[in-house]
Amino acid sequence: MQLVKVEDKRQVDAFHQLPYIIYKDDKNWVPPLRMMVEDVFNLKKNNALKKGNACRWVLYKNDELVGRIAAFHTSGYAGQFDQLTGGVGFFESIDDQEVANTLFDTAKAWLESEGMEAMDGPINLGENFFNWGLLVDGFMQQSYGMNYHPRYYQQLWENYGFQTYYQQFSYHLNITSPDLPERFWKIAAWMSKKPGYKFEHFRFKKREKYITDFIEIYDKAWNKHDNYKQIDRQDLRDMISQSKLILEEEFIWFVYRDGKPIAFFMMIPDVNQLVKYFPSGKMNLLKLLRMLYLKRKKVINRCRVLVMGVVPEFQKSGIESAIFYQLRQVLLKKDWYDEMELSWVGDFNPKMISIFEAVGGKKMKTHLTLRYLFDREKEFKRSSIIVD
């Protein structure tokens, strides 16, 4: 076998070619846009890289391309656990344990040289909204930003020694369906009209205000949990800027109590329903114009919930249901959307799981965030449950 560090155009091309080998007969796989993947490793495009480092490799066996992997770490992620923890992602491999082990060994050695003591995967170099977790159940076409893998990947990862740090569940529902729980919607409507509360959707022209409010809510909602990672303002700016063509202002909501931000909800259209029409993964001006045309033709009928947060003192007040009420009114007007994916919620968050089930969500997919401790004698601990 020959391991090659990705440093020139030839190896970048090989890095992007490999998935087409792995998924050539899989109709559920949607090729990611090449420029989106390359932006992850571009210091000018990915603010997270300024606080860490990354490296990636491709692997050949008998001169045939058989695997790839990326390893990375950031100060914001590495230092929040009992041990300094890096990440591995963009893993692809033929069904060969020797190939997988070579890739994992390479990532482990590099992360150790960078001072790390463990690695999580498959994860993304950035926020956990995108490309996070190993698919183990629900092998269907994934929505935009959700990882898709062959079934045999789970065995490759677990045989190496990775263990489940937490499970990630995705729920699906039609929020406009008349069959959803009537009592839930009555409570939601009542809550959304209570005095002192204000519900408003995102507007691009006020993005700096909403970024500030998002960070304030996020920090209060998550700072006591071990999955908390401080969000960088510039990361949010970059995400909004890069997603401007696909974001719907009415899909992002904020709640205020007496003028103070207390909750947010962020959802995006499932752009994979457009991307699948561009199987090369490459984008140019003509293809971009066609994509915008397809979007206006209402080809997209599914949206994906990225993240939801409520500050602790309001988490039992019914705010979450009231946000769903606002969204329901939006989707009743945009009636070409008939499916909402709530993804993802970790098994460490039973309160949010209960909300997703109360609103009528059906569990459809499961991903795993896996962890490998370099010190094999150290006790492995799963992610702690969020408690009141």
Side-chain angles (χ1 to χ4, degrees):
M1 287 193 285
Q2 180 188 14
L3 187 75
V4 182
K5 186 177 178 181
V6 176
E7 293 182 303
D8 58 29
K9 184 181 182 302
R10 179 171 176 268
Q11 299 311 328
V12 169
D13 288 342
F15 190 84
H16 289 281
Q17 177 191 352
L18 181 62
Y20 289 88
I21 298 172
I22 302 296
Y23 301 99
K24 63 180 179 180
D25 297 319
D26 194 332
K27 295 180 180 180
N28 287 326
W29 179 66
V30 177
L33 294 176
R34 176 168 172 156
M35 64 180 182
M36 299 296 287
V37 175
E38 284 306 300
D39 284 352
V40 172
F41 300 98
N42 187 332
L43 186 61
K44 296 179 180 179
K45 299 285 186 69
N46 188 352
N47 190 56
L49 268 178
K50 297 174 183 177
K51 300 163 286 185
N53 198 7
C55 193
R56 49 182 169 158
W57 302 265
V58 290
L59 183 65
Y60 297 84
K61 185 175 183 178
N62 299 325
D63 295 325
E64 296 288 335
L65 188 61
V66 293
R68 76 175 196 185
I69 198 167
F72 38 81
H73 62 85
T74 64
S75 57
Y77 190 81
Q80 63 180 305
F81 306 107
D82 292 340
Q83 65 286 314
L84 291 173
T85 304
V88 291
F90 301 94
F91 170 89
E92 303 288 359
S93 172
I94 63 171
D95 190 3
D96 184 322
Q97 192 67 53
E98 182 184 18
V99 168
N101 289 352
T102 300
L103 294 168
F104 292 138
D105 283 343
T106 300
K108 174 178 177 290
W110 183 85
L111 286 167
E112 282 184 310
S113 73
E114 295 281 310
M116 297 298 107
E117 302 168 295
M119 55 186 177
D120 287 353
I123 66 172
N124 185 36
L125 180 54
E127 300 304 330
N128 62 13
F129 313 146
F130 299 113
N131 305 319
W132 203 278
L134 179 74
L135 181 67
V136 296
D137 185 50
F139 292 89
M140 60 186 72
Q141 183 180 301
Q142 300 296 293
S143 57
Y144 181 73
M146 295 296 289
N147 276 341
Y148 181 82
H149 304 109
R151 294 177 184 271
Y152 65 82
Y153 273 23
Q154 183 177 6
Q155 185 175 15
L156 295 180
W157 286 76
E158 292 179 348
N159 282 351
Y160 185 78
F162 280 92
Q163 296 172 270
T164 299
Y165 184 51
Y166 54 80
Q167 294 178 295
Q168 306 160 220
F169 304 128
S170 295
Y171 289 78
H172 287 204
L173 77 154
N174 179 352
I175 200 171
T176 64
S177 170
D179 298 326
L180 295 180
E182 183 179 353
R183 181 176 178 274
F184 178 91
W185 293 115
K186 284 183 177 180
I187 295 172
W190 169 78
M191 182 66 207
S192 67
K193 297 169 185 175
K194 284 186 68 175
Y197 290 89
K198 181 182 179 183
F199 297 79
E200 63 180 68
H201 65 74
F202 174 83
R203 290 176 174 84
F204 284 107
K205 64 183 180 181
K206 297 170 62 178
R207 71 187 71 182
E208 285 300 318
K209 171 192 181 303
Y210 293 120
I211 287 173
T212 298
D213 294 344
F214 182 98
I215 292 173
E216 180 178 338
I217 297 164
Y218 182 90
D219 286 346
K220 290 179 179 178
W222 289 94
N223 64 7
K224 293 184 179 180
H225 189 252
D226 58 14
N227 283 297
Y228 169 75
K229 179 173 74 70
Q230 197 170 35
I231 288 185
D232 187 281
R233 176 179 293 270
Q234 188 58 45
D235 289 345
L236 288 178
R237 287 193 186 112
D238 291 345
M239 186 178 76
I240 292 171
S241 176
Q242 293 166 7
S243 307
K244 189 172 182 179
L245 291 176
I246 65 169
L247 287 180
E248 300 260 8
E249 290 183 333
E250 291 180 295
F251 281 5
I252 304 172
W253 283 83
F254 288 82
V255 186
Y256 300 87
R257 168 70 177 180
D258 298 328
K260 295 182 179 180
I262 62 169
F264 64 74
F265 181 99
M266 184 175 184
M267 184 169 73
I268 60 171
D270 179 14
V271 188
N272 269 1
Q273 293 182 315
L274 299 181
V275 174
K276 68 181 181 181
Y277 291 101
F278 306 93
S280 70
K282 296 180 180 180
M283 190 58 57
N284 55 34
L285 179 59
L286 185 62
K287 290 180 178 179
L288 179 61
L289 292 173
R290 186 183 175 211
M291 182 178 286
L292 292 174
Y293 169 77
L294 290 170
K295 184 174 184 287
R296 285 195 294 270
K297 293 290 285 184
K298 302 173 183 177
V299 169
I300 302 176
N301 73 326
R302 180 168 64 191
C303 45
R304 179 192 163 208
V305 177
L306 290 186
V307 62
M308 183 176 186
V310 181
V311 300
E313 56 264 42
F314 291 94
Q315 286 179 358
K316 290 186 176 181
S317 65
I319 287 295
E320 299 93 342
S321 62
I323 294 174
F324 276 103
Y325 178 81
Q326 308 299 325
L327 284 168
R328 192 174 199 231
Q329 312 318 305
V330 172
L331 292 180
L332 284 169
K333 292 184 294 182
K334 299 176 183 284
D335 59 2
W336 58 93
Y337 287 101
D338 58 17
E339 183 180 359
M340 176 188 287
E341 178 175 303
L342 311 169
S343 62
W344 48 268
V345 57
D347 62 1
F348 51 77
N349 195 347
K351 186 183 299 181
M352 191 60 67
I353 290 174
S354 296
I355 291 170
F356 285 178
E357 292 177 348
V359 77
K362 305 297 182 185
K363 188 190 297 182
M364 297 294 288
K365 296 191 281 284
T366 301
H367 289 73
L368 305 178
T369 293
L370 302 165
R371 174 165 291 178
Y372 183 93
L373 301 176
F374 298 163
D375 180 355
R376 304 308 290 161
E377 300 300 316
K378 185 170 183 175
E379 179 187 3
F380 178 86
K381 298 179 183 178
R382 287 195 58 154
S383 178
S384 60
I385 303 296
I386 296 177
V387 296
D388 295 337

